[in-house]
Amino acid sequence: MFDESQVRSQVEEGNYGKIVAIDIETGAFEVADDLVTASKQLSARVPDAQTWFIRIGHLAVDHFGTRSLRTKQ
């Protein structure tokens, strides 16, 4: 099983907004500009990967709907 803090320390710097694909079994990961590329790169290394995706610097890969960027006053 992977350790999120180890992966985070290796990928965060200089990769804000990119996608990281992580095999939850082995901890192997790939970073790319988009989900499909990250997935293909990881699958090439770990064919049976059980993949978890996250956008670096964000809570999730994508969001649905709209949200206000204005702060409450």
Side-chain angles (χ1 to χ4, degrees), residues 42-71:
L42 183 60
S43 292
R45 287 183 47 216
V46 186
D48 295 328
Q50 294 186 34
T51 311
W52 180 66
F53 299 95
I54 193 73
R55 185 175 299 277
I56 298 168
H58 297 266
L59 296 175
V61 173
D62 288 310
H63 70 275
F64 295 96
T66 60
R67 64 182 173 104
S68 174
L69 298 177
R70 295 186 347 191
T71 58

Side-chain angles (χ1 to χ4, degrees), residues 16 20 24 26 29 32 39 41 43-44 48 50 55-56 62:
Y16 183 84
V20 61
I24 62 171
T26 66
F29 64 89
S39 178
Q41 290 173 346
S43 292
D48 295 328
Q50 294 186 34
R55 185 175 299 277
I56 298 168
D62 288 310

Side-chain angles (χ1 to χ4, degrees), residues 22-38:
I22 306 167
D23 176 18
I24 62 171
E25 294 290 321
T26 66
F29 64 89
E30 289 290 333
V31 176
D33 290 329
D34 60 83
L35 191 132
V36 172
T37 303

